[in-house]
Amino acid sequence: MTAIAAPATTRWPRPFRYVYAANLADSLGYQVGYLAVPVLAVSVLAATPGQVGLLAVLGTAAFLVVSLPAGVWVDRSPRRTVMITADLARAALYASIPLAWWADALTIGQLYAVVLLTGIATVFGDVAAQSFLPELVGRDRLVAANSLLMTTNATVQIGGRSFGGLLVQWLGAPLALALNAATHLLSALALTRIRPTAAAGTGRDRPEGCFGRQLSDGVRHVLGNPLLRPLAMSLAGINLTVNLMTTMLPVVFLRELGLGAGALGLFLGAGGVGALLGAVTARPLANRIGHGRALWLPGVLVAPAGALVALIDTGVWLWLAGFGWLALAWRTGVGNVINVSLRQRVTPDVLLGRMNATFRFLLTGAIAVGAGLAGLLGQYASPRTSLWIGAVSAALTWLPVFRSPLRTLADPAELPAVPR
């Protein structure tokens, strides 16, 4: 995977290349952990559907609790330091799981604590990373830089989840999670190679006013902007509805269909193929039909795909569900490249941390809500009910962008320049 993407980074500034390497390491560990944590809960700790849903909620609850203040702190702090600290914290937390399993002391309570605390670290790390990118590459190269990062992430997702499923099946989920600790350590090491003077954002204006005023400025910038508000609404809807499906997929695979972790990993890997295709095709698609249309038209095209996921079964229906999952991920891959670049382009440097934090709050908060609803539906109705509600709702998530000024935006370069 590295050999495919790495040559494209040679024309980028050296600090960006280190960020790229750190992102690659983090992505590999995340994809393994994404599968290993719920499989560990179901297969080792005999978790109920409600407990699986709670795990998913706690994994994203930090974004509801600390995202907004994290944006203020990131705008006040050297972003490199924030990213390194977040990586070290995640490494220590993930390492505690195989150690506790080896000592025969692992409990569902520890899993709850680990996913909650790693979520807090991820808030700071992700907000800092997205806010750092315009400093490293300049606003005119944001689409290209985000396309490279997301293409790499999608490539890793294909191999990472498929390999992760096999790794969990061969070694067991506790040992597979040890990989997360190692990858976060590698990420921190790569980030230490960036010179502190470059990472500190020399010349970047610091936010003014009290903490509460700074926080509310970021929220107003997102919700009061006619371009950012519909993006936030559409993306939150996508996260909520897709998570209604993903949270219950391990339960459906392992208990209802009787398939193993390897099959689940391969199925989720199909989403990586879709995300990769989306990241690769986002720029040419946007150049051909316009950035605005590229944000909503793919949603219309893949609207029926969620129903294929909800109809998942063994045999041919498993393949059809995999195709539906791939189509949904393709739409997300296209949207991620375009919307992240647009958000970074229309936001002043001094507000980047708070803008990204506000989006994280809304988008990952939607994931938490989706996971909670999935757990309740799985526990008191059925896992299939959660899949169907997610599928029907996902078919409507393109509407906020379609009904906004973004609908006909041809090129973000046409937008007024923002102050640095």
Side-chain angles (χ1 to χ4, degrees), residues 129-193:
Q130 287 192 344
S131 304
F132 198 14
L133 189 60
E135 294 182 34
L136 299 180
V137 303
R139 293 175 189 272
D140 58 334
R141 304 185 76 186
L142 282 172
V143 174
N146 281 311
S147 180
L148 174 60
L149 289 170
M150 292 177 190
T151 298
T152 302
N153 289 345
T155 304
V156 173
Q157 183 179 343
I158 297 169
R161 293 190 184 180
S162 302
F163 177 70
L166 296 175
L167 196 66
V168 170
Q169 197 159 300
W170 293 337
L171 301 179
L175 292 181
L177 280 168
L179 179 61
N180 287 51
T183 55
H184 287 302
L185 284 174
L186 287 173
S187 175
L189 180 62
L191 293 171
T192 61
R193 302 297 301 275

Side-chain angles (χ1 to χ4, degrees), residues 123-358:
V123 170
F124 283 90
D126 286 0
V127 169
Q130 287 192 344
S131 304
F132 198 14
L133 189 60
E135 294 182 34
L136 299 180
V137 303
R139 293 175 189 272
D140 58 334
R141 304 185 76 186
L142 282 172
V143 174
N146 281 311
S147 180
L148 174 60
L149 289 170
M150 292 177 190
T151 298
T152 302
N153 289 345
T155 304
V156 173
Q157 183 179 343
I158 297 169
R161 293 190 184 180
S162 302
F163 177 70
L166 296 175
L167 196 66
V168 170
Q169 197 159 300
W170 293 337
L171 301 179
L175 292 181
L177 280 168
L179 179 61
N180 287 51
T183 55
H184 287 302
L185 284 174
L186 287 173
S187 175
L189 180 62
L191 293 171
T192 61
R193 302 297 301 275
I194 301 174
R195 293 173 58 190
T197 51
T202 304
R204 167 163 54 95
D205 292 335
R206 293 298 187 261
E208 299 178 353
C210 67
F211 192 94
R213 171 66 182 274
Q214 294 171 26
L215 188 151
S216 62
D217 285 345
V219 175
R220 282 197 300 270
H221 174 68
V222 172
L223 299 184
N225 188 299
L227 301 180
L228 297 183
R229 183 175 60 251
L231 275 182
M233 293 172 61
S234 179
L235 293 170
I238 292 171
N239 282 3
L240 189 152
T241 56
V242 170
N243 218 52
L244 280 169
M245 293 183 275
T246 56
T247 302
M248 287 296 109
L249 278 175
V251 179
V252 171
F253 261 81
L254 300 177
R255 291 186 179 166
E256 183 178 327
L257 302 182
L259 300 172
L264 176 60
L266 290 172
F267 181 88
L268 295 175
V273 174
L276 173 60
L277 292 174
V280 169
T281 58
R283 291 178 66 192
L285 181 65
N287 290 337
R288 184 172 183 82
I289 68 173
H291 285 65
R293 289 188 182 90
L295 284 170
W296 63 264
L297 187 57
V300 178
L301 297 177
V302 306
L308 294 177
V309 178
L311 288 167
I312 189 170
D313 207 333
T314 55
V316 67
W317 286 106
L318 182 60
W319 290 96
L320 289 173
F323 175 77
W325 190 246
L326 183 149
L328 290 173
W330 170 77
R331 178 259 180 106
T332 302
V334 171
N336 281 346
V337 171
I338 298 171
N339 85 70
V340 171
S341 303
L342 180 63
R343 285 153 42 187
Q344 292 167 331
R345 187 178 185 92
V346 302
T347 301
D349 287 350
V350 72
L351 277 168
L352 277 169
R354 284 166 285 171
M355 177 276 292
N356 286 315
T358 302

